Amino acid sequence: MAIKCMTTAKSQGESKLKQEMKRKHRVEFGSSDESMVPENFIWPEEFKARESVPELHVPHIDLQKFMSENENDIEEVRRLVDEACRKHGFFVLVNHGVDMELMKNVHECMDEFFSLPLDVKQKAQRKVGENYGYANSFIGRFSSKLPWKETFSLRYAAHHPITHDYVCHHLGQEFSQQGKVYEECGKALSDLSLKIVELLGLSLGVPKQKFKKFFEDNDSIIRLNYYPPCNKPELTLGTGPHCDPTSITILHQDHVSGLQVYVDDQWHSIPPIKDSFVINIGDTFMALTNGVYKSCFHRAVVNCREARKSIVFFLCPAGDKVVRAPDEIVDKNPPRKFPDYTWPMLLELTQKFYRSDSNTFKAFTTWLQHKKLATAASSLAPSL
């Protein structure tokens, strides 16, 4: 049974207080009570958003068919996933086995967290160069093209339960119940991700256990996104165009549309579908497939009517695992296209030196080469 979040205030007085907190929260962010979008939130013309774009028709993958023993069902699922991942790396997962009551509880916890006064949320403030904690557009190393959102990022380690402890340590024991909900969510989505990489392995023609074993001890990220309404949504973006540097992304959207994917030189939307997850390939899994499966450019747009919330699980390998495409994949798709690396190396680049975009992996490859040359030169330098 899914763990419930904190009890939401039900009395009229408490409801009014909560509404007032939300109103103050929006003013602090500088959104719906502002007639103009601040200059540092305005994106260049080539990035300007349009809420109305054609829908991207992605396959709806029934995970229960993959888990069945019906060879025809398994072959159908394998073919659909392979086609989608070779073209753009996105598909929708249905009949996935995750308790939707749990996801409802996570959304309730998000509502409570993002409605808190700013000084309370800042107890878990994300530090520059780190990947976990609370962040809004005013916190960080960028001063232009800011995203119109707040986030709360949590570490999930498959073999070391730490999510609950992180929440309690930074926000206090009164948030213990929220921490338990986030921990349970991480466990459910980690388990789901292992089934997804089994399916991807089968679709690639490698033993389906190969990627499962690689990610069994995953050290991943849970990210809670809150996109406030904006009076001039055409001027800004909730999340700028980027490719995920991680391995597999599992996205749960609320009822508000906002995800857009760049395919065939045009932006397309993937609207929310009840009780489903949107899955996409990240740069690290693209490297594991030697580029056979694509990590696709995508973004989040905002609107002037209502807030949008999403829950994201970024599957990442354990820090000591070497990311290297299996020989059987490279032999079919030569030559080897990506350098060997560990996930913390790519994470360091994206958190300290480079803002993720469509060229993140190219920048990473160049950065890695420079680091190796610098290390080699240092080892050859005479000691004084």
Side-chain angles (χ1 to χ4, degrees):
M1 181 180 293
I3 299 171
K4 291 286 186 181
C5 196
M6 295 179 183
T7 303
T8 304
K10 293 184 178 179
S11 71
Q12 186 176 9
E14 287 175 321
S15 296
K16 287 182 178 178
L17 176 61
K18 190 170 182 178
Q19 290 172 7
E20 179 65 14
M21 286 172 64
K22 286 185 175 180
R23 188 190 69 79
K24 289 182 178 179
H25 157 81
R26 291 196 297 265
V27 174
E28 288 170 358
F29 187 83
S31 58
S32 61
D33 284 11
E34 299 278 351
S35 60
M36 297 296 292
V37 174
E39 185 177 355
N40 49 353
F41 285 89
I42 297 176
W43 285 66
E45 192 63 36
E46 65 267 27
F47 294 107
K48 291 294 175 63
R50 286 195 302 117
E51 191 177 353
S52 179
V53 298
E55 181 178 340
L56 181 64
H57 296 288
V58 296
H60 290 196
I61 303 302
D62 187 334
L63 192 61
Q64 290 306 310
K65 287 186 176 182
F66 171 66
M67 305 300 292
S68 75
E69 296 182 358
N70 185 304
E71 291 185 5
N72 290 333
D73 284 347
I74 294 172
E75 174 56 25
E76 177 193 7
V77 168
R78 186 208 66 77
R79 177 182 59 80
L80 291 172
V81 166
D82 188 61
E83 289 175 358
C85 291
R86 287 174 184 269
K87 182 173 177 59
H88 49 61
F90 276 82
F91 58 91
V92 171
L93 199 65
V94 298
N95 290 332
H96 41 67
V98 175
D99 184 358
M100 286 294 99
E101 187 67 23
L102 169 61
M103 302 311 295
K104 177 183 175 184
N105 293 340
V106 179
H107 277 279
E108 290 174 355
C109 289
M110 289 173 64
D111 286 343
E112 292 178 355
F113 177 78
F114 288 117
S115 296
L116 291 169
L118 184 60
D119 62 330
V120 178
K121 290 180 284 191
Q122 286 180 326
K123 290 180 181 179
Q125 182 166 314
R126 179 175 166 183
K127 296 179 176 62
V128 175
E130 294 185 356
N131 202 42
Y132 310 110
Y134 166 75
N136 62 42
S137 300
F138 304 104
I139 301 170
R141 64 189 196 272
F142 305 116
S143 59
S144 64
K145 294 189 291 185
L146 296 182
W148 196 266
K149 68 176 178 179
E150 291 180 278
T151 64
F152 188 30
S153 302
L154 300 162
R155 182 183 176 190
Y156 177 81
H159 290 174
H160 306 283
I162 54 176
T163 311
H164 170 262
D165 291 346
Y166 177 91
V167 172
C168 292
H169 175 74
H170 288 278
L171 295 175
Q173 286 298 321
E174 62 269 34
F175 290 88
S176 176
Q177 197 67 12
Q178 282 197 6
K180 290 177 181 178
V181 172
Y182 298 145
E183 188 87 58
E184 186 180 358
C185 175
K187 174 67 166 60
L189 297 185
S190 174
D191 290 347
L192 177 61
S193 72
L194 297 183
K195 295 175 184 176
I196 293 169
V197 297
E198 276 190 299
L199 171 55
L200 294 171
L202 182 67
S203 300
L204 284 159
V206 301
K208 71 176 188 177
Q209 293 291 317
K210 195 173 192 75
F211 290 130
K212 181 181 180 181
K213 289 180 180 178
F214 185 79
F215 287 105
E216 275 181 337
D217 56 350
N218 67 86
D219 195 343
S220 299
I221 303 161
I222 304 167
R223 180 159 298 156
L224 313 176
N225 294 315
Y226 174 79
Y227 302 96
C230 176
N231 273 350
K232 296 187 179 296
E234 70 278 5
L235 298 180
T236 191
L237 291 170
T239 301
H242 67 286
C243 295
D244 294 337
T246 47
S247 298
I248 302 294
T249 301
I250 302 175
L251 169 70
H252 185 266
Q253 307 185 79
D254 65 5
H255 65 284
V256 183
S257 188
L259 172 63
Q260 295 186 352
V261 183
Y262 197 70
V263 179
D264 296 331
D265 300 320
Q266 185 177 9
W267 288 104
H268 297 75
S269 69
I270 300 182
I273 298 172
K274 184 176 173 60
D275 296 340
S276 72
F277 292 100
V278 177
I279 312 299
N280 70 273
I281 304 296
D283 288 342
T284 293
F285 200 83
M286 179 178 68
L288 281 171
T289 71
N290 202 39
V292 175
Y293 283 178
K294 302 299 185 285
S295 176
C296 194
F297 212 33
H298 57 284
R299 68 184 184 183
V301 300
V302 294
N303 68 82
C304 61
R305 299 177 300 278
E306 58 184 327
R308 175 177 179 260
K309 298 184 296 296
S310 66
I311 303 161
V312 192
F313 183 85
F314 296 107
L315 177 67
C316 309
D320 61 347
K321 293 286 181 70
V322 176
V323 177
R324 179 181 174 85
D327 290 340
E328 52 261 55
I329 294 179
V330 177
D331 290 345
K332 294 178 183 177
N333 305 274
R336 189 172 291 278
K337 299 178 177 68
F338 300 94
D340 294 356
Y341 68 97
T342 60
W343 163 240
M345 294 177 182
L346 181 53
L347 183 63
E348 181 185 10
L349 175 80
T350 59
Q351 295 305 306
K352 295 181 179 180
F353 307 111
Y354 192 85
R355 188 172 188 170
S356 292
D357 58 17
S358 61
N359 296 309
T360 300
F361 214 95
K362 290 180 181 178
F364 174 62
T365 301
T366 302
W367 180 73
L368 209 56
Q369 290 170 344
H370 288 166
K371 284 195 73 171
K372 288 180 179 179
L373 289 172
T375 301
S378 176
S379 66
L380 293 173
S383 56
L384 299 177

